[in-house]
PDB file of all heavy atoms in Angstrom:
ATOM      1  N   GLY A   1       5.196  -0.419  -3.645  1.00  0.00           N
ATOM      2  CA  GLY A   1       4.605   0.514  -4.574  1.00  0.00           C
ATOM      3  C   GLY A   1       5.112   1.910  -4.420  1.00  0.00           C
ATOM      4  O   GLY A   1       4.335   2.856  -4.494  1.00  0.00           O
ATOM      5  N   TYR A  31      -1.628   0.898 -19.021  1.00  0.00           N
ATOM      6  CA  TYR A  31      -2.945   0.771 -18.418  1.00  0.00           C
ATOM      7  C   TYR A  31      -2.852   1.143 -16.942  1.00  0.00           C
ATOM      8  O   TYR A  31      -1.848   0.861 -16.292  1.00  0.00           O
ATOM      9  CB  TYR A  31      -3.460  -0.671 -18.528  1.00  0.00           C
ATOM     10  CG  TYR A  31      -3.862  -1.074 -19.922  1.00  0.00           C
ATOM     11  CD1 TYR A  31      -2.932  -1.634 -20.795  1.00  0.00           C
ATOM     12  CD2 TYR A  31      -5.171  -0.893 -20.370  1.00  0.00           C
ATOM     13  CE1 TYR A  31      -3.280  -1.991 -22.077  1.00  0.00           C
ATOM     14  CE2 TYR A  31      -5.538  -1.254 -21.663  1.00  0.00           C
ATOM     15  CZ  TYR A  31      -4.590  -1.800 -22.507  1.00  0.00           C
ATOM     16  OH  TYR A  31      -4.945  -2.153 -23.773  1.00  0.00           O
ATOM     17  N   TYR A  33      -5.227   1.043 -13.274  1.00  0.00           N
ATOM     18  CA  TYR A  33      -6.316   0.251 -12.707  1.00  0.00           C
ATOM     19  C   TYR A  33      -6.739   0.785 -11.345  1.00  0.00           C
ATOM     20  O   TYR A  33      -5.940   1.378 -10.610  1.00  0.00           O
ATOM     21  CB  TYR A  33      -5.847  -1.204 -12.508  1.00  0.00           C
ATOM     22  CG  TYR A  33      -5.411  -1.906 -13.769  1.00  0.00           C
ATOM     23  CD1 TYR A  33      -4.151  -1.664 -14.317  1.00  0.00           C
ATOM     24  CD2 TYR A  33      -6.255  -2.812 -14.407  1.00  0.00           C
ATOM     25  CE1 TYR A  33      -3.739  -2.304 -15.487  1.00  0.00           C
ATOM     26  CE2 TYR A  33      -5.852  -3.466 -15.565  1.00  0.00           C
ATOM     27  CZ  TYR A  33      -4.601  -3.206 -16.101  1.00  0.00           C
ATOM     28  OH  TYR A  33      -4.204  -3.844 -17.246  1.00  0.00           O
ATOM     29  N   TYR A  35      -8.573  -1.027  -7.985  1.00  0.00           N
ATOM     30  CA  TYR A  35      -9.071  -2.221  -7.312  1.00  0.00           C
ATOM     31  C   TYR A  35      -9.658  -1.819  -5.965  1.00  0.00           C
ATOM     32  O   TYR A  35      -9.223  -0.848  -5.345  1.00  0.00           O
ATOM     33  CB  TYR A  35      -7.940  -3.233  -7.054  1.00  0.00           C
ATOM     34  CG  TYR A  35      -7.502  -4.008  -8.270  1.00  0.00           C
ATOM     35  CD1 TYR A  35      -6.568  -3.481  -9.164  1.00  0.00           C
ATOM     36  CD2 TYR A  35      -8.000  -5.280  -8.525  1.00  0.00           C
ATOM     37  CE1 TYR A  35      -6.161  -4.202 -10.278  1.00  0.00           C
ATOM     38  CE2 TYR A  35      -7.584  -6.015  -9.632  1.00  0.00           C
ATOM     39  CZ  TYR A  35      -6.670  -5.465 -10.500  1.00  0.00           C
ATOM     40  OH  TYR A  35      -6.253  -6.193 -11.597  1.00  0.00           O
ATOM     41  N   GLN A  37     -10.649  -3.391  -2.088  1.00  0.00           N
ATOM     42  CA  GLN A  37     -10.455  -4.505  -1.162  1.00  0.00           C
ATOM     43  C   GLN A  37     -11.269  -4.257   0.099  1.00  0.00           C
ATOM     44  O   GLN A  37     -11.011  -3.299   0.835  1.00  0.00           O
ATOM     45  CB  GLN A  37      -8.983  -4.686  -0.802  1.00  0.00           C
ATOM     46  CG  GLN A  37      -8.726  -5.917   0.072  1.00  0.00           C
ATOM     47  CD  GLN A  37      -7.262  -6.118   0.410  1.00  0.00           C
ATOM     48  OE1 GLN A  37      -6.496  -5.166   0.520  1.00  0.00           O
ATOM     49  NE2 GLN A  37      -6.852  -7.376   0.585  1.00  0.00           N
ATOM     50  N   GLY A  40     -10.859  -8.567   4.880  1.00  0.00           N
ATOM     51  CA  GLY A  40     -10.801 -10.018   4.795  1.00  0.00           C
ATOM     52  C   GLY A  40     -11.047 -10.592   3.414  1.00  0.00           C
ATOM     53  O   GLY A  40     -11.213 -11.812   3.271  1.00  0.00           O
ATOM     54  N   ALA A  41     -11.044  -9.737   2.415  1.00  0.00           N
ATOM     55  CA  ALA A  41     -11.362 -10.207   1.060  1.00  0.00           C
ATOM     56  C   ALA A  41     -10.207  -9.942   0.104  1.00  0.00           C
ATOM     57  O   ALA A  41      -9.214  -9.294   0.451  1.00  0.00           O
ATOM     58  CB  ALA A  41     -12.630  -9.530   0.567  1.00  0.00           C
ATOM     59  N   GLY A  42     -10.365 -10.447  -1.101  1.00  0.00           N
ATOM     60  CA  GLY A  42      -9.360 -10.230  -2.128  1.00  0.00           C
ATOM     61  C   GLY A  42      -9.524  -8.889  -2.802  1.00  0.00           C
ATOM     62  O   GLY A  42     -10.307  -8.040  -2.363  1.00  0.00           O
ATOM     63  N   LEU A  43      -8.789  -8.702  -3.887  1.00  0.00           N
ATOM     64  CA  LEU A  43      -8.851  -7.458  -4.642  1.00  0.00           C
ATOM     65  C   LEU A  43      -9.858  -7.605  -5.772  1.00  0.00           C
ATOM     66  O   LEU A  43      -9.744  -8.502  -6.610  1.00  0.00           O
ATOM     67  CB  LEU A  43      -7.484  -7.104  -5.226  1.00  0.00           C
ATOM     68  CG  LEU A  43      -6.511  -6.405  -4.291  1.00  0.00           C
ATOM     69  CD1 LEU A  43      -5.931  -7.371  -3.284  1.00  0.00           C
ATOM     70  CD2 LEU A  43      -5.397  -5.734  -5.082  1.00  0.00           C
ATOM     71  N   LEU A  45     -11.404  -6.059  -9.102  1.00  0.00           N
ATOM     72  CA  LEU A  45     -11.142  -5.093 -10.163  1.00  0.00           C
ATOM     73  C   LEU A  45     -12.379  -4.228 -10.367  1.00  0.00           C
ATOM     74  O   LEU A  45     -13.460  -4.731 -10.668  1.00  0.00           O
ATOM     75  CB  LEU A  45     -10.786  -5.820 -11.453  1.00  0.00           C
ATOM     76  CG  LEU A  45     -10.578  -4.944 -12.692  1.00  0.00           C
ATOM     77  CD1 LEU A  45      -9.392  -4.002 -12.498  1.00  0.00           C
ATOM     78  CD2 LEU A  45     -10.368  -5.799 -13.930  1.00  0.00           C
ATOM     79  N   TYR A  48     -10.530   0.022 -15.312  1.00  0.00           N
ATOM     80  CA  TYR A  48      -9.183   0.358 -15.755  1.00  0.00           C
ATOM     81  C   TYR A  48      -9.303   1.301 -16.940  1.00  0.00           C
ATOM     82  O   TYR A  48     -10.360   1.410 -17.573  1.00  0.00           O
ATOM     83  CB  TYR A  48      -8.375  -0.891 -16.109  1.00  0.00           C
ATOM     84  CG  TYR A  48      -8.882  -1.646 -17.328  1.00  0.00           C
ATOM     85  CD1 TYR A  48      -8.323  -1.436 -18.579  1.00  0.00           C
ATOM     86  CD2 TYR A  48      -9.907  -2.582 -17.212  1.00  0.00           C
ATOM     87  CE1 TYR A  48      -8.765  -2.133 -19.686  1.00  0.00           C
ATOM     88  CE2 TYR A  48     -10.356  -3.283 -18.322  1.00  0.00           C
ATOM     89  CZ  TYR A  48      -9.788  -3.062 -19.556  1.00  0.00           C
ATOM     90  OH  TYR A  48     -10.238  -3.754 -20.652  1.00  0.00           O
ATOM     91  N   PHE A  88      -7.090   0.570  -4.278  1.00  0.00           N
ATOM     92  CA  PHE A  88      -5.722   0.534  -4.774  1.00  0.00           C
ATOM     93  C   PHE A  88      -5.669   1.007  -6.215  1.00  0.00           C
ATOM     94  O   PHE A  88      -6.447   0.566  -7.064  1.00  0.00           O
ATOM     95  CB  PHE A  88      -5.160  -0.890  -4.724  1.00  0.00           C
ATOM     96  CG  PHE A  88      -4.899  -1.399  -3.339  1.00  0.00           C
ATOM     97  CD1 PHE A  88      -5.864  -2.137  -2.668  1.00  0.00           C
ATOM     98  CD2 PHE A  88      -3.688  -1.147  -2.717  1.00  0.00           C
ATOM     99  CE1 PHE A  88      -5.631  -2.618  -1.385  1.00  0.00           C
ATOM    100  CE2 PHE A  88      -3.440  -1.627  -1.438  1.00  0.00           C
ATOM    101  CZ  PHE A  88      -4.409  -2.363  -0.772  1.00  0.00           C
ATOM    102  N   ARG A  92       0.342  -0.632 -15.126  1.00  0.00           N
ATOM    103  CA  ARG A  92       1.013  -1.647 -15.925  1.00  0.00           C
ATOM    104  C   ARG A  92       1.985  -0.887 -16.829  1.00  0.00           C
ATOM    105  O   ARG A  92       1.583  -0.035 -17.597  1.00  0.00           O
ATOM    106  CB  ARG A  92       0.004  -2.434 -16.747  1.00  0.00           C
ATOM    107  CG  ARG A  92       0.607  -3.559 -17.549  1.00  0.00           C
ATOM    108  CD  ARG A  92      -0.439  -4.269 -18.346  1.00  0.00           C
ATOM    109  NE  ARG A  92       0.172  -5.071 -19.391  1.00  0.00           N
ATOM    110  CZ  ARG A  92      -0.443  -5.449 -20.497  1.00  0.00           C
ATOM    111  NH1 ARG A  92      -1.689  -5.114 -20.702  1.00  0.00           N
ATOM    112  NH2 ARG A  92       0.184  -6.184 -21.391  1.00  0.00           N
ATOM    113  N   ALA A  96       5.189  -4.886 -19.861  1.00  0.00           N
ATOM    114  CA  ALA A  96       5.124  -5.785 -18.704  1.00  0.00           C
ATOM    115  C   ALA A  96       3.703  -6.291 -18.505  1.00  0.00           C
ATOM    116  O   ALA A  96       2.734  -5.602 -18.827  1.00  0.00           O
ATOM    117  CB  ALA A  96       5.585  -5.049 -17.447  1.00  0.00           C
ATOM    118  N   ARG A  97       3.586  -7.480 -17.957  1.00  0.00           N
ATOM    119  CA  ARG A  97       2.267  -8.033 -17.707  1.00  0.00           C
ATOM    120  C   ARG A  97       1.852  -7.828 -16.252  1.00  0.00           C
ATOM    121  O   ARG A  97       0.664  -7.827 -15.955  1.00  0.00           O
ATOM    122  CB  ARG A  97       2.252  -9.517 -18.056  1.00  0.00           C
ATOM    123  CG  ARG A  97       2.578  -9.794 -19.523  1.00  0.00           C
ATOM    124  CD  ARG A  97       2.412 -11.244 -19.867  1.00  0.00           C
ATOM    125  NE  ARG A  97       1.008 -11.618 -19.952  1.00  0.00           N
ATOM    126  CZ  ARG A  97       0.256 -11.450 -21.032  1.00  0.00           C
ATOM    127  NH1 ARG A  97       0.761 -10.887 -22.102  1.00  0.00           N
ATOM    128  NH2 ARG A  97      -1.007 -11.830 -21.024  1.00  0.00           N
ATOM    129  N   GLN A  98       2.838  -7.610 -15.363  1.00  0.00           N
ATOM    130  CA  GLN A  98       2.478  -7.471 -13.959  1.00  0.00           C
ATOM    131  C   GLN A  98       2.086  -6.035 -13.645  1.00  0.00           C
ATOM    132  O   GLN A  98       2.356  -5.115 -14.414  1.00  0.00           O
ATOM    133  CB  GLN A  98       3.638  -7.914 -13.056  1.00  0.00           C
ATOM    134  CG  GLN A  98       4.840  -6.981 -13.083  1.00  0.00           C
ATOM    135  CD  GLN A  98       5.859  -7.342 -14.143  1.00  0.00           C
ATOM    136  OE1 GLN A  98       5.509  -7.767 -15.249  1.00  0.00           O
ATOM    137  NE2 GLN A  98       7.117  -7.159 -13.810  1.00  0.00           N
ATOM    138  N   LEU A  99       1.428  -5.864 -12.496  1.00  0.00           N
ATOM    139  CA  LEU A  99       1.008  -4.551 -12.033  1.00  0.00           C
ATOM    140  C   LEU A  99       1.858  -4.106 -10.854  1.00  0.00           C
ATOM    141  O   LEU A  99       2.300  -4.919 -10.044  1.00  0.00           O
ATOM    142  CB  LEU A  99      -0.460  -4.589 -11.597  1.00  0.00           C
ATOM    143  CG  LEU A  99      -1.485  -5.020 -12.636  1.00  0.00           C
ATOM    144  CD1 LEU A  99      -2.895  -4.909 -12.062  1.00  0.00           C
ATOM    145  CD2 LEU A  99      -1.356  -4.202 -13.904  1.00  0.00           C
ATOM    146  N   THR A 100       2.049  -2.786 -10.772  1.00  0.00           N
ATOM    147  CA  THR A 100       2.689  -2.175  -9.618  1.00  0.00           C
ATOM    148  C   THR A 100       1.620  -1.382  -8.882  1.00  0.00           C
ATOM    149  O   THR A 100       0.951  -0.535  -9.484  1.00  0.00           O
ATOM    150  CB  THR A 100       3.835  -1.249 -10.044  1.00  0.00           C
ATOM    151  OG1 THR A 100       4.794  -2.009 -10.773  1.00  0.00           O
ATOM    152  CG2 THR A 100       4.501  -0.617  -8.839  1.00  0.00           C
ATOM    153  N   PHE A 101       1.479  -1.670  -7.588  1.00  0.00           N
ATOM    154  CA  PHE A 101       0.384  -1.110  -6.805  1.00  0.00           C
ATOM    155  C   PHE A 101       0.825   0.052  -5.937  1.00  0.00           C
ATOM    156  O   PHE A 101       1.966   0.102  -5.460  1.00  0.00           O
ATOM    157  CB  PHE A 101      -0.207  -2.191  -5.890  1.00  0.00           C
ATOM    158  CG  PHE A 101      -1.083  -3.175  -6.602  1.00  0.00           C
ATOM    159  CD1 PHE A 101      -0.532  -4.281  -7.227  1.00  0.00           C
ATOM    160  CD2 PHE A 101      -2.458  -2.991  -6.653  1.00  0.00           C
ATOM    161  CE1 PHE A 101      -1.331  -5.192  -7.895  1.00  0.00           C
ATOM    162  CE2 PHE A 101      -3.271  -3.896  -7.318  1.00  0.00           C
ATOM    163  CZ  PHE A 101      -2.710  -4.995  -7.943  1.00  0.00           C
TER     164      PHE A 101
ATOM    165  N   ARG B   9      -7.560 -20.970   2.602  1.00  0.00           N
ATOM    166  CA  ARG B   9      -7.909 -19.560   2.818  1.00  0.00           C
ATOM    167  C   ARG B   9      -7.187 -19.016   4.039  1.00  0.00           C
ATOM    168  O   ARG B   9      -6.798 -17.859   4.078  1.00  0.00           O
ATOM    169  CB  ARG B   9      -9.422 -19.439   3.002  1.00  0.00           C
ATOM    170  CG  ARG B   9     -10.184 -19.556   1.709  1.00  0.00           C
ATOM    171  CD  ARG B   9     -10.160 -18.239   0.929  1.00  0.00           C
ATOM    172  NE  ARG B   9     -11.110 -17.281   1.481  1.00  0.00           N
ATOM    173  CZ  ARG B   9     -10.782 -16.041   1.819  1.00  0.00           C
ATOM    174  NH1 ARG B   9      -9.561 -15.580   1.678  1.00  0.00           N
ATOM    175  NH2 ARG B   9     -11.711 -15.231   2.290  1.00  0.00           N
ATOM    176  N   SER B  31      -1.477 -16.192 -17.996  1.00  0.00           N
ATOM    177  CA  SER B  31      -0.517 -15.555 -17.091  1.00  0.00           C
ATOM    178  C   SER B  31      -0.997 -15.715 -15.669  1.00  0.00           C
ATOM    179  O   SER B  31      -2.186 -15.536 -15.385  1.00  0.00           O
ATOM    180  CB  SER B  31      -0.371 -14.064 -17.412  1.00  0.00           C
ATOM    181  OG  SER B  31       0.241 -13.882 -18.668  1.00  0.00           O
ATOM    182  N   PHE B  33       0.076 -14.816 -11.489  1.00  0.00           N
ATOM    183  CA  PHE B  33       0.901 -13.965 -10.642  1.00  0.00           C
ATOM    184  C   PHE B  33       0.721 -14.368  -9.177  1.00  0.00           C
ATOM    185  O   PHE B  33      -0.383 -14.687  -8.748  1.00  0.00           O
ATOM    186  CB  PHE B  33       0.458 -12.495 -10.775  1.00  0.00           C
ATOM    187  CG  PHE B  33       0.362 -11.997 -12.189  1.00  0.00           C
ATOM    188  CD1 PHE B  33      -0.778 -12.230 -12.948  1.00  0.00           C
ATOM    189  CD2 PHE B  33       1.400 -11.273 -12.758  1.00  0.00           C
ATOM    190  CE1 PHE B  33      -0.875 -11.770 -14.257  1.00  0.00           C
ATOM    191  CE2 PHE B  33       1.308 -10.807 -14.060  1.00  0.00           C
ATOM    192  CZ  PHE B  33       0.175 -11.056 -14.814  1.00  0.00           C
ATOM    193  N   TYR B  35       1.290 -12.542  -5.532  1.00  0.00           N
ATOM    194  CA  TYR B  35       1.576 -11.310  -4.809  1.00  0.00           C
ATOM    195  C   TYR B  35       1.520 -11.590  -3.309  1.00  0.00           C
ATOM    196  O   TYR B  35       0.814 -12.483  -2.855  1.00  0.00           O
ATOM    197  CB  TYR B  35       0.533 -10.231  -5.128  1.00  0.00           C
ATOM    198  CG  TYR B  35       0.721  -9.500  -6.436  1.00  0.00           C
ATOM    199  CD1 TYR B  35       0.218 -10.022  -7.633  1.00  0.00           C
ATOM    200  CD2 TYR B  35       1.377  -8.265  -6.475  1.00  0.00           C
ATOM    201  CE1 TYR B  35       0.382  -9.335  -8.820  1.00  0.00           C
ATOM    202  CE2 TYR B  35       1.539  -7.582  -7.677  1.00  0.00           C
ATOM    203  CZ  TYR B  35       1.035  -8.128  -8.841  1.00  0.00           C
ATOM    204  OH  TYR B  35       1.194  -7.445 -10.031  1.00  0.00           O
ATOM    205  N   GLN B  37       0.874  -9.478   0.407  1.00  0.00           N
ATOM    206  CA  GLN B  37       0.403  -8.218   0.995  1.00  0.00           C
ATOM    207  C   GLN B  37       0.729  -8.188   2.478  1.00  0.00           C
ATOM    208  O   GLN B  37       0.326  -9.082   3.235  1.00  0.00           O
ATOM    209  CB  GLN B  37      -1.106  -8.055   0.798  1.00  0.00           C
ATOM    210  CG  GLN B  37      -1.634  -6.706   1.291  1.00  0.00           C
ATOM    211  CD  GLN B  37      -3.132  -6.557   1.084  1.00  0.00           C
ATOM    212  OE1 GLN B  37      -3.893  -7.510   1.193  1.00  0.00           O
ATOM    213  NE2 GLN B  37      -3.565  -5.336   0.752  1.00  0.00           N
ATOM    214  N   LEU B  45       4.841  -7.990  -5.901  1.00  0.00           N
ATOM    215  CA  LEU B  45       4.875  -9.124  -6.819  1.00  0.00           C
ATOM    216  C   LEU B  45       6.010 -10.059  -6.414  1.00  0.00           C
ATOM    217  O   LEU B  45       7.148  -9.632  -6.270  1.00  0.00           O
ATOM    218  CB  LEU B  45       5.096  -8.648  -8.249  1.00  0.00           C
ATOM    219  CG  LEU B  45       5.205  -9.753  -9.291  1.00  0.00           C
ATOM    220  CD1 LEU B  45       3.848 -10.420  -9.515  1.00  0.00           C
ATOM    221  CD2 LEU B  45       5.753  -9.210 -10.605  1.00  0.00           C
ATOM    222  N   TYR B  48       5.845 -14.169 -11.534  1.00  0.00           N
ATOM    223  CA  TYR B  48       4.755 -14.434 -12.437  1.00  0.00           C
ATOM    224  C   TYR B  48       5.180 -15.394 -13.541  1.00  0.00           C
ATOM    225  O   TYR B  48       6.355 -15.474 -13.898  1.00  0.00           O
ATOM    226  CB  TYR B  48       4.113 -13.155 -12.961  1.00  0.00           C
ATOM    227  CG  TYR B  48       4.679 -12.568 -14.222  1.00  0.00           C
ATOM    228  CD1 TYR B  48       4.197 -12.923 -15.468  1.00  0.00           C
ATOM    229  CD2 TYR B  48       5.656 -11.580 -14.151  1.00  0.00           C
ATOM    230  CE1 TYR B  48       4.686 -12.349 -16.615  1.00  0.00           C
ATOM    231  CE2 TYR B  48       6.150 -10.987 -15.295  1.00  0.00           C
ATOM    232  CZ  TYR B  48       5.665 -11.368 -16.525  1.00  0.00           C
ATOM    233  OH  TYR B  48       6.155 -10.780 -17.655  1.00  0.00           O
ATOM    234  N   ASP B  56       9.426 -13.722 -14.314  1.00  0.00           N
ATOM    235  CA  ASP B  56      10.087 -12.773 -13.425  1.00  0.00           C
ATOM    236  C   ASP B  56       9.923 -13.259 -11.994  1.00  0.00           C
ATOM    237  O   ASP B  56       8.822 -13.242 -11.473  1.00  0.00           O
ATOM    238  CB  ASP B  56       9.472 -11.385 -13.601  1.00  0.00           C
ATOM    239  CG  ASP B  56      10.146 -10.314 -12.732  1.00  0.00           C
ATOM    240  OD1 ASP B  56      11.046 -10.656 -11.943  1.00  0.00           O
ATOM    241  OD2 ASP B  56       9.771  -9.139 -12.856  1.00  0.00           O
ATOM    242  N   PHE B  91      -1.658 -13.550  -2.451  1.00  0.00           N
ATOM    243  CA  PHE B  91      -2.674 -13.523  -3.491  1.00  0.00           C
ATOM    244  C   PHE B  91      -2.148 -14.148  -4.771  1.00  0.00           C
ATOM    245  O   PHE B  91      -1.002 -13.920  -5.165  1.00  0.00           O
ATOM    246  CB  PHE B  91      -3.102 -12.082  -3.805  1.00  0.00           C
ATOM    247  CG  PHE B  91      -3.956 -11.447  -2.762  1.00  0.00           C
ATOM    248  CD1 PHE B  91      -3.449 -10.459  -1.936  1.00  0.00           C
ATOM    249  CD2 PHE B  91      -5.287 -11.814  -2.617  1.00  0.00           C
ATOM    250  CE1 PHE B  91      -4.234  -9.858  -0.965  1.00  0.00           C
ATOM    251  CE2 PHE B  91      -6.092 -11.219  -1.652  1.00  0.00           C
ATOM    252  CZ  PHE B  91      -5.563 -10.243  -0.829  1.00  0.00           C
ATOM    253  N   SER B  96      -5.566 -13.005 -19.089  1.00  0.00           N
ATOM    254  CA  SER B  96      -5.611 -13.667 -20.392  1.00  0.00           C
ATOM    255  C   SER B  96      -4.478 -13.180 -21.267  1.00  0.00           C
ATOM    256  O   SER B  96      -3.673 -12.340 -20.852  1.00  0.00           O
ATOM    257  CB  SER B  96      -6.950 -13.390 -21.058  1.00  0.00           C
ATOM    258  OG  SER B  96      -7.053 -12.001 -21.319  1.00  0.00           O
ATOM    259  N   HIS B  97      -4.440 -13.646 -22.472  1.00  0.00           N
ATOM    260  CA  HIS B  97      -3.355 -13.314 -23.383  1.00  0.00           C
ATOM    261  C   HIS B  97      -3.233 -11.813 -23.604  1.00  0.00           C
ATOM    262  O   HIS B  97      -2.142 -11.265 -23.653  1.00  0.00           O
ATOM    263  CB  HIS B  97      -3.573 -14.023 -24.725  1.00  0.00           C
ATOM    264  CG  HIS B  97      -2.516 -13.732 -25.718  1.00  0.00           C
ATOM    265  ND1 HIS B  97      -1.220 -14.228 -25.610  1.00  0.00           N
ATOM    266  CD2 HIS B  97      -2.514 -12.975 -26.846  1.00  0.00           C
ATOM    267  CE1 HIS B  97      -0.499 -13.802 -26.617  1.00  0.00           C
ATOM    268  NE2 HIS B  97      -1.254 -13.037 -27.390  1.00  0.00           N
ATOM    269  N   GLY B  99      -4.030  -9.560 -21.537  1.00  0.00           N
ATOM    270  CA  GLY B  99      -3.461  -9.029 -20.303  1.00  0.00           C
ATOM    271  C   GLY B  99      -4.035  -7.735 -19.808  1.00  0.00           C
ATOM    272  O   GLY B  99      -3.496  -7.126 -18.902  1.00  0.00           O
ATOM    273  N   ASN B 100      -5.139  -7.253 -20.385  1.00  0.00           N
ATOM    274  CA  ASN B 100      -5.678  -5.973 -19.940  1.00  0.00           C
ATOM    275  C   ASN B 100      -6.297  -6.050 -18.560  1.00  0.00           C
ATOM    276  O   ASN B 100      -6.308  -5.061 -17.829  1.00  0.00           O
ATOM    277  CB  ASN B 100      -6.731  -5.459 -20.927  1.00  0.00           C
ATOM    278  CG  ASN B 100      -6.118  -5.110 -22.258  1.00  0.00           C
ATOM    279  OD1 ASN B 100      -4.906  -5.062 -22.389  1.00  0.00           O
ATOM    280  ND2 ASN B 100      -6.951  -4.863 -23.241  1.00  0.00           N
ATOM    281  N   THR B 101      -6.870  -7.177 -18.218  1.00  0.00           N
ATOM    282  CA  THR B 101      -7.533  -7.316 -16.924  1.00  0.00           C
ATOM    283  C   THR B 101      -6.893  -8.451 -16.149  1.00  0.00           C
ATOM    284  O   THR B 101      -6.673  -9.535 -16.683  1.00  0.00           O
ATOM    285  CB  THR B 101      -9.036  -7.582 -17.101  1.00  0.00           C
ATOM    286  OG1 THR B 101      -9.214  -8.660 -18.013  1.00  0.00           O
ATOM    287  CG2 THR B 101      -9.743  -6.351 -17.630  1.00  0.00           C
ATOM    288  N   ILE B 102      -6.583  -8.158 -14.903  1.00  0.00           N
ATOM    289  CA  ILE B 102      -5.959  -9.144 -14.026  1.00  0.00           C
ATOM    290  C   ILE B 102      -6.897  -9.365 -12.848  1.00  0.00           C
ATOM    291  O   ILE B 102      -7.287  -8.408 -12.165  1.00  0.00           O
ATOM    292  CB  ILE B 102      -4.588  -8.653 -13.539  1.00  0.00           C
ATOM    293  CG1 ILE B 102      -3.651  -8.485 -14.739  1.00  0.00           C
ATOM    294  CG2 ILE B 102      -3.985  -9.632 -12.534  1.00  0.00           C
ATOM    295  CD1 ILE B 102      -2.278  -7.953 -14.398  1.00  0.00           C
ATOM    296  N   PHE B 104      -7.917 -11.297  -9.251  1.00  0.00           N
ATOM    297  CA  PHE B 104      -7.295 -11.833  -8.058  1.00  0.00           C
ATOM    298  C   PHE B 104      -8.186 -12.851  -7.371  1.00  0.00           C
ATOM    299  O   PHE B 104      -9.413 -12.759  -7.421  1.00  0.00           O
ATOM    300  CB  PHE B 104      -7.004 -10.699  -7.060  1.00  0.00           C
ATOM    301  CG  PHE B 104      -5.776  -9.908  -7.405  1.00  0.00           C
ATOM    302  CD1 PHE B 104      -5.782  -9.013  -8.466  1.00  0.00           C
ATOM    303  CD2 PHE B 104      -4.600 -10.060  -6.681  1.00  0.00           C
ATOM    304  CE1 PHE B 104      -4.655  -8.284  -8.792  1.00  0.00           C
ATOM    305  CE2 PHE B 104      -3.468  -9.328  -7.002  1.00  0.00           C
ATOM    306  CZ  PHE B 104      -3.492  -8.456  -8.068  1.00  0.00           C
ATOM    307  N   GLY B 105      -7.535 -13.799  -6.695  1.00  0.00           N
ATOM    308  CA  GLY B 105      -8.238 -14.708  -5.818  1.00  0.00           C
ATOM    309  C   GLY B 105      -8.522 -14.041  -4.481  1.00  0.00           C
ATOM    310  O   GLY B 105      -8.180 -12.867  -4.263  1.00  0.00           O
ATOM    311  N   TRP B 109      -4.421 -16.454   3.847  1.00  0.00           N
ATOM    312  CA  TRP B 109      -3.990 -15.667   4.995  1.00  0.00           C
ATOM    313  C   TRP B 109      -3.101 -16.547   5.857  1.00  0.00           C
ATOM    314  O   TRP B 109      -3.582 -17.442   6.534  1.00  0.00           O
ATOM    315  CB  TRP B 109      -5.225 -15.172   5.753  1.00  0.00           C
ATOM    316  CG  TRP B 109      -6.118 -14.331   4.887  1.00  0.00           C
ATOM    317  CD1 TRP B 109      -6.855 -14.735   3.801  1.00  0.00           C
ATOM    318  CD2 TRP B 109      -6.344 -12.929   5.000  1.00  0.00           C
ATOM    319  NE1 TRP B 109      -7.515 -13.671   3.238  1.00  0.00           N
ATOM    320  CE2 TRP B 109      -7.233 -12.551   3.956  1.00  0.00           C
ATOM    321  CE3 TRP B 109      -5.896 -11.939   5.883  1.00  0.00           C
ATOM    322  CZ2 TRP B 109      -7.663 -11.236   3.772  1.00  0.00           C
ATOM    323  CZ3 TRP B 109      -6.339 -10.638   5.701  1.00  0.00           C
ATOM    324  CH2 TRP B 109      -7.210 -10.307   4.652  1.00  0.00           C
TER     325      TRP B 109
END
Side-chain angles (χ1 to χ4, degrees):
Chain A
Y31 288 89
Y33 300 79
Y35 284 84
Q37 185 179 31
L43 278 75
L45 176 63
Y48 67 96
F88 290 93
R92 183 181 163 203
R97 299 186 74 84
Q98 70 270 37
L99 302 184
T100 301
F101 284 85
Chain B
R9 284 280 282 128
S31 293
F33 309 83
Y35 280 85
Q37 185 180 35
L45 178 71
Y48 90 90
D56 182 356
F91 286 107
S96 64
H97 180 71
N100 293 349
T101 51
I102 297 178
F104 281 74
W109 301 67

